[in-house]
């Protein structure tokens, strides 16, 4: 596990440089989800693969940018699922983006996850590692990730991060969101899952929702690369992560690119989601 984290640190430093100085235009390729890939999506994917190839304990890698899993080391133990550059469409407006990693063993169900790591490329570059607990690291002047603090969510927060187009929301979802705002919560939503969830984690709590919509009943965010890793982080930080009814980490994808509606937050807000969704 340690060498995987080291490889992620190396990849993160290279991706940070690529974001700052290389071409931010579109490529001529489309990924599995149908998104036209940015040159930076492809470059980040290549950087991570290069670093992971050097780690003998990694058996297989599965990237959001690739259709199929890639076998790296037959005798390896871990499967790493990752989104190399989440929120990359925000780069042209210079907002924060991230890389997300889930470290699995045996399979790619939520229950196979052993650890989750994400990087935020913002005004500063930060790394959050969730194993038994959740720890925040920051890249310092010497080029090393230094521990800043452990992250623990409060029982209740103040942020309401509401994803997906309102036009496609179910009436019960709108009712839930309106009720939370009516209680004084503030809207915070950049459209980048990494910075949006990072904000909730560091400001003590709140709710991030990406529900089922009329045009995408299974939501948008991918289980293996995005949803499971963040569900793991939130649970280890003392919060919860659900699909509206069930814990996200109890889900079993049929395909590595499967998506799910998802809600991440502190206990009180997740309790409100469960109450409202039980009545739907
Ligand atoms: P991406 O992996 O193609 O970058 O898309 C994922 C992003 C998440 O970072 C974010 O939470 C979500 O898409 C935002 O979607 P929307 O604009 O529909 O709210
Ligand atoms: Mg993504």
């Amino acid at each position: 596990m340690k060498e995987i984290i080291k490889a992620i640190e190396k990849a993160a430093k290279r991706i940070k440089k690529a974001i700052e100085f290389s071409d931010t235009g579109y490529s001529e390729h489309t990924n599995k989800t149908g998104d036209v890939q940015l040159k930076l999506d492809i470059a980040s994917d290549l950087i991570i693969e290069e670093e992971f190839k050097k780690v003998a304990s990694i058996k297989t890698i599965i990237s959001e940018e690739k259709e199929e899993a890639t076998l790296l080391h037959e005798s390896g133990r871990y499967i790493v699922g990752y989104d190399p550059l989440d929120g990359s469409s925000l780069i042209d407006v210079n907002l924060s983006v991230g890389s997300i990693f889930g470290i699995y063993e045996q399979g790619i169900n939520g229950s196979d996850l052993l650890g989750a790591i994400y990087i935020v490329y913002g005004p500063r570059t930060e790394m959050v590692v969730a194993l038994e607990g959740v720890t925040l690291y920051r890249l310092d002047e010497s080029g090393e990730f230094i521990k800043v603090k452990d992250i623990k969510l409060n029982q209740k927060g103040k942020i309401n991060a509401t994803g997906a187009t309102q036009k496609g929301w179910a009436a019960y979802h709108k009712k839930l969101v309106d009720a939370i705002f009516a209680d004084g919560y503030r809207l915070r939503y950049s459209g980048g899952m990494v910075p949006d969830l990072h904000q909730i984690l560091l400001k003590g709590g709140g709710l991030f929702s990406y529900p089922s919509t009329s045009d995408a009943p299974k939501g948008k965010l991918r289980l293996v690369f995005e949803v499971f890793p963040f569900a793991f982080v939130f649970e280890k930080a003392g919060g919860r992560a659900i699909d509206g009814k069930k814990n996200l980490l109890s889900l079993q994808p049929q395909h590595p690119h499967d998506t799910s509606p998802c809600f991440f937050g502190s206990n009180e807000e997740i309790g409100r989601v469960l109450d409202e969704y039980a009545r739907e």
Side-chain angles (χ1 to χ4, degrees):
M1 189 71 81
K2 259 207 178 128
E3 20 2 307
I4 301 180
I5 299 173
K6 281 284 158 220
I8 290 173
E9 290 183 14
K10 282 188 196 149
K13 291 178 209 170
R14 293 176 62 189
I15 294 171
K16 168 188 152 57
K17 270 212 182 115
I19 293 170
E20 285 173 6
F21 303 115
S22 66
D23 187 344
T24 57
Y26 284 95
S27 72
E28 280 155 16
H29 307 280
T30 316
N31 70 10
K32 165 72 188 137
T33 325
D35 309 319
V36 180
Q37 290 170 301
L38 288 174
K39 289 178 190 164
L40 269 172
D41 287 320
I42 298 171
S44 308
D45 196 31
L46 280 173
I47 289 172
I48 293 168
E49 185 167 340
E50 259 174 45
E51 295 299 338
F52 282 166
K53 272 187 180 155
K54 301 176 202 161
V55 182
S57 62
I58 302 178
K59 181 169 187 160
T60 311
I61 52 174
I62 313 178
S63 165
E64 186 191 295
E65 297 301 333
K66 288 205 187 72
E67 168 87 47
E68 302 294 339
T70 311
L71 178 72
L72 290 189
H73 306 280
E74 188 59 67
S75 58
R77 172 172 166 200
Y78 302 109
I79 304 164
V80 188
Y82 55 93
D83 183 351
L85 200 55
D86 183 71
S88 53
S89 63
L90 299 173
I91 286 176
D92 58 356
V93 289
N94 204 14
L95 285 177
S96 298
V97 293
S99 302
I100 312 166
F101 303 85
I103 303 169
Y104 301 81
E105 195 174 17
Q106 312 279 6
I108 49 167
N109 293 327
S111 58
D112 295 318
L113 205 51
L114 300 179
I117 295 152
Y118 68 84
I119 310 283
V120 193
Y121 310 99
R124 299 191 280 205
T125 302
E126 295 187 328
M127 172 171 72
V128 171
V129 178
L131 295 166
E132 279 321 306
V134 184
T135 310
L136 171 70
Y137 298 84
R138 187 174 297 142
L139 192 62
D140 77 353
E141 284 168 294
S142 71
E144 293 305 319
F145 281 94
I146 305 296
K147 179 173 172 177
V148 178
K149 61 175 179 177
D150 292 324
I151 298 177
K152 210 70 198 142
L153 283 163
N154 299 332
Q155 277 300 105
K156 179 182 184 312
K158 294 181 184 149
I159 294 172
N160 194 15
T162 61
T165 10
Q166 293 201 25
K167 199 175 104 191
W169 288 359
Y172 55 84
H173 183 75
K174 178 151 175 49
K175 194 172 152 213
L176 168 74
V177 169
D178 288 348
I180 293 175
F181 279 133
D183 284 345
Y185 283 74
R186 298 186 184 93
L187 172 66
R188 293 287 183 270
Y189 192 78
S190 73
M193 182 182 198
V194 175
D196 287 338
L197 287 173
H198 193 58
Q199 179 164 201
I200 291 175
L201 284 160
L202 288 173
K203 301 277 189 198
L207 180 68
F208 173 99
S209 47
Y210 205 103
S212 161
T213 55
S214 48
D215 55 339
K218 291 193 152 180
K220 170 185 183 188
L221 299 172
R222 299 91 172 167
L223 284 167
V224 175
F225 320 112
E226 297 162 329
V227 172
F228 285 157
F230 269 113
F232 191 89
V233 173
F234 269 73
E235 287 201 358
K236 294 293 180 189
R240 291 189 67 186
I242 59 167
D243 69 352
K245 296 194 163 153
K246 293 191 289 287
N247 281 344
L248 285 164
L249 290 176
S250 71
L251 301 183
Q252 306 189 334
Q254 300 306 304
H255 186 279
H257 289 266
D258 280 358
T259 60
S260 170
C262 53
F263 300 80
F264 305 89
S266 27
N267 287 317
E268 189 161 320
E269 291 82 4
I270 293 291
R272 292 181 76 155
V273 179
L274 286 167
D275 285 349
E276 196 56 51
Y277 271 63
R279 279 191 232 124
E280 112 304 300

